[in-house]
């Protein structure tokens, strides 16, 4: 319920807003979702061109920041939750931030 409230920004029943308590309650579930998203492999072809149509695993071509970082040699080391104190960032990211190291 808390994860859904964070994703949709619709307050849980009995609440007037999606606040710190909702984000705290959503921490475990949202962190798992963020780690799963950040771990999606780069779906570009080896020659760096985009394939027309769909990939076998997800049905679409995806390259967000995590995939770009991994393509450039970064390693996912973890997910920070409420690592940024700006509530506007929480709305955009659900409060999660993937941490990558370039080794």
């Amino acid at each position: 319920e808390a994860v859904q409230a964070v994703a949709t920004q619709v307050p849980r029943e009995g609440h007037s807003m999606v606040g710190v308590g909702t984000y705290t309650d959503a921490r475990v579930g949202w962190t798992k979702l963020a780690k799963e998203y950040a771990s999606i492999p780069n779906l570009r072809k080896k020659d760096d061109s985009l394939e027309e149509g769909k990939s076998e695993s997800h049905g679409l071509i995806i390259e967000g920041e995590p995939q770009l970082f991994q393509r450039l040699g970064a390693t996912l080391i973890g997910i920070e939750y409420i690592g940024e104190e700006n509530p506007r960032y929480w709305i955009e990211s659900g409060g999660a931030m993937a941490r990558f190291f370039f080794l």
Side-chain angles (χ1 to χ4, degrees):
E1 190 176 285
V3 171
Q4 184 174 355
V6 167
T8 62
Q9 287 300 297
V10 174
R12 296 181 284 179
E13 190 173 324
H15 295 261
S16 61
M17 62 182 279
V18 178
V20 175
T22 302
Y23 281 92
T24 300
D25 292 347
R27 180 182 191 134
V28 172
W30 197 260
T31 299
K32 285 180 184 178
L33 287 172
K35 188 172 185 179
E36 182 179 328
Y37 171 72
S39 299
I40 293 173
N42 184 356
L43 298 177
R44 284 186 179 261
K45 291 169 56 177
K46 288 188 184 219
D47 66 2
D48 204 37
S49 65
L50 289 177
E51 185 170 332
E52 186 73 29
K54 302 176 179 180
S55 76
E56 291 179 32
S57 60
H58 293 90
L60 47 99
I61 302 294
I62 297 174
E63 185 170 79
E65 288 177 352
Q67 292 74 37
L68 172 64
F69 294 161
Q70 290 174 76
R71 184 165 56 91
L72 296 175
T75 301
L76 175 67
I77 62 158
I79 303 295
E80 298 292 327
Y81 195 72
I82 311 295
E84 170 67 51
E85 293 186 17
N86 181 345
R88 192 177 282 298
Y89 181 79
W90 299 359
I91 292 169
E92 293 174 9
S93 69
M97 180 185 299
R99 185 171 294 245
F100 287 89
F101 277 163
F102 287 88
L103 305 172

